[in-house]
Amino acid sequence: QHKGEFFSISKPVEAPFTPAALPPVSSTDRMMYLWLTDYIADTAGFVYQTAGLMKYIVTPDMVPSELPFQLNTDSFKDLIPKLYEKYPNRPMLLGLEATKPPT
């Protein structure tokens, strides 16, 4: 079975899912045929998530100043009023993390 996949260099582990079957080659008039499936992206996501690399912190300086909201408590005061009351006009960090590998 042919498959393209990502592996961790430090901890190579087989992905917990299998690739879809590739279509048969019905013609031989080309020198090379290339099929790309979502299996490649899925194994990359599995490797990155397993290694703890699917985490990202957004800081206030990453938000363009032209946007109508900024990453501070003032922008979120209608959504989280108690946070604004306790920390008025304070900068915030936004943490993003995948809790399971993408599929």
Side-chain angles (χ1 to χ4, degrees), residues 6 21 32 53 60-61 63 67-70 79 87-88 97 100:
F6 282 77
M32 182 175 81
L53 299 174
D61 61 315
V63 179
L67 288 180
F69 65 91
Q70 292 300 303
L79 186 62
Y87 305 102
E97 180 177 350
K100 61 182 183 176

Side-chain angles (χ1 to χ4, degrees), residues 14-94:
E14 189 76 25
F17 39 83
T18 56
L22 296 175
V25 177
S26 59
S27 174
T28 57
D29 59 342
R30 306 265 189 227
M31 183 180 357
M32 182 175 81
Y33 291 88
L34 177 67
W35 285 272
L36 297 175
T37 68
D38 56 352
Y39 183 75
I40 295 170
D42 290 346
T43 59
F46 173 74
V47 168
Y48 284 113
Q49 199 277 333
T50 303
L53 299 174
M54 298 286 280
K55 299 176 184 178
Y56 194 73
I57 302 292
V58 180
T59 61
D61 61 315
M62 297 168 128
V63 179
S65 59
E66 311 81 58
L67 288 180
F69 65 91
Q70 292 300 303
L71 199 49
N72 59 44
T73 56
D74 186 57
S75 294
F76 289 85
K77 67 181 171 186
D78 292 332
L79 186 62
I80 316 170
K82 292 201 181 287
L83 181 68
Y84 178 77
E85 289 171 15
K86 190 167 183 174
Y87 305 102
N89 299 313
R90 297 292 305 268
M92 296 172 60
L93 300 177
L94 178 62

